[in-house]
Each structure stands twice: as C-alpha cells, then as structure tokens.
Amino acid sequence: MSAQQPLHGTVAACWTTAAGWRGVLITGAPGAGKSDLALRLTGRGWRLVADDYAHVVASGGALYAIAPETIAGRMEARGVGVLTACARGLTRLSLTVELTDGKVERLPEAESRTFDGVSLQLLRLNGFEASAVEKVAAALARL
C-alpha cells in the first residue's frame, strides 16, 4: 500500500454475508450532508470508518480507507457536536457516493470515479432526501 494525503470525504461500511465488510466513500461540497448521511447509515447498523477525511490507498487492485488517527471513532453532527461512533478500521471500498443539491437523473448512465488507478462505481444523490440511506444500500447491494 502507498500512503496518500487524506481525502475529503466520509466513509461508512456495512457487513454483507456475500462479501464481508463493504465501504462507501461519501463525497461532496462542505455542507452537502456527508456526515448527516453517515449518521443515518450508522443508525441503521452501519459502522463509521472515517468522518470528514479518510486515508484512501490502493492495494492489489482494490481501494481501502481508514480514518486518520486524530479523528478515528468520532463524527460531527451539525447542531449537536462531536459524537463517538461505533467505528471500523481499515475497510475495502466498493462504491462512491457524490452528494449534490442539484437535480439527480432519474435513470442515470453508469459512472465511475477513479482513485489511485482503481475505479469505483459512482452514485450521485441528494444526501438530505429521506430515501438516501435506502438508495445507498440498494446501490451497494447491486454490486
């Protein structure tokens, strides 16, 4: 693995019987709802990997994420403060989610985002929609 500068984004992971732990990298502009979406995912049994920044590295054709030591196990909940979260360490990434406040295509063409030479499927959505958690889970299940 090669070390990189921390990537601005939040990572949450869920356990699947077929593939073990699978991580989702959530990106977007400041205030787009990255931490808010991760908080709702953890409320559904997911684990926080990193909030706000993550070290993302490529190894063996896959991408892995881990929180910088200074923020591991903590996340910010806007209006509440910094919370302790049920956290997970190094996790393989399976999907990237880009949060937007713009219009989201009803039936988008498949897209991917490449990090350090490794591509991940990309899902664009509004993170504040009530269905955002279910959309992330459904997209991950399709991989």
Side-chain angles (χ1 to χ4, degrees):
M1 287 188 194
S2 60
Q4 283 188 307
Q5 291 294 325
L7 177 73
H8 183 71
T10 295
V11 180
C14 72
W15 174 259
T16 65
T17 54
W21 287 101
R22 298 174 75 184
V24 174
L25 172 63
I26 306 166
T27 64
K34 297 178 292 293
S35 297
D36 186 89
L37 179 55
L39 182 63
R40 287 182 283 140
L41 288 167
T42 61
R44 299 279 177 94
W46 291 49
R47 298 282 175 91
L48 178 71
V49 176
D51 183 41
D52 201 34
Y53 286 93
H55 291 292
V56 176
V57 295
S59 180
L63 285 171
Y64 296 86
I66 192 167
E69 215 173 284
T70 55
I71 62 171
R74 294 183 293 192
M75 69 185 314
E76 181 183 346
R78 194 173 297 254
V80 176
V82 177
L83 307 174
T84 301
C86 188
R88 168 144 179 81
L90 186 69
T91 301
R92 184 175 180 163
L93 295 173
S94 297
L95 175 70
T96 195
V97 174
E98 182 179 286
L99 300 183
T100 179
D101 60 359
K103 186 176 179 180
V104 176
E105 292 291 325
R106 286 181 58 209
L107 299 170
E109 294 293 322
E111 291 185 80
S112 64
R113 181 73 32 94
T114 302
F115 302 91
D116 206 13
V118 180
S119 292
L120 291 178
Q121 184 171 336
L122 173 67
L123 170 66
R124 294 179 200 273
L125 57 84
N126 181 320
F128 293 117
E129 288 182 343
S131 61
V133 168
E134 286 78 13
K135 288 176 181 179
V136 171
L140 188 61
R142 293 175 67 177
L143 299 179

